[in-house]
Amino acid sequence: MAWVSDQIDAVKSIQIRQLVHQAVSLGMIVTSALIIWKALMCFTGSESPVVVVLSGSMEPGFKRGDILFLHMSKDPIYAGEIVVFNVDGREIPIVHRVIKVHERKDTGEVDVLTKGDNNYGDDRLLYAHGQQWLQRHHIMGRAVGTLRIGAGPL
């Protein structure tokens, strides 16, 4: 009888060891992912260095599900660049093209107007109420690379 209880105790200790091993492994994976994300944030200068296109407003250039890599620098923003921006009052970032750039002579600050390639008009209806232009603090980054996951319909 003692042999059976010894065997049961051995099995329990193995299960506990495996459970602890799996928990530590999971913790290391999560910690590694967070470290990589924070490193990308520092390297790219963007609060969100990777985003996913969620709508068809930029088709045919970008399709739903495409992954964009962002970079944010102090360089001037030009018309024609693809930017990702947040609008006050909305949590989901928007991926659109800059169509106009307006530099304020008194402060040197730059305001931009955006538009989705597949949209009829500019984005002023998407901006916060009464907002006509985006300021630099709204822009999360510029698209510098893309990864298309699926080929999509033929």
Side-chain angles (χ1 to χ4, degrees), residues 87-141:
V87 176
D88 297 333
R90 293 189 182 200
E91 292 183 23
I92 298 173
I94 300 170
V95 179
H96 280 176
R97 186 179 307 276
V98 175
I99 58 171
K100 288 185 184 175
V101 178
H102 173 72
E103 184 176 351
R104 297 185 204 170
K105 298 295 181 195
D106 54 346
T107 62
E109 293 181 20
V110 174
D111 297 332
V112 298
L113 180 63
T114 57
K115 175 187 175 298
D117 290 353
N118 200 24
N119 293 350
Y120 181 72
D122 62 41
D123 288 343
R124 286 187 172 141
L125 292 176
L126 295 175
Y127 300 162
H129 182 71
Q131 184 179 2
Q132 297 294 310
W133 299 85
L134 292 175
Q135 285 77 42
R136 192 168 191 95
H137 71 272
H138 292 110
I139 297 173
M140 296 171 56

Side-chain angles (χ1 to χ4, degrees), residues 35-51:
I35 290 170
I36 290 169
W37 186 260
K38 288 293 186 182
L40 280 172
M41 286 175 64
C42 291
F43 177 70
T44 64
S46 175
E47 65 187 72
S48 182
V50 179
V51 294

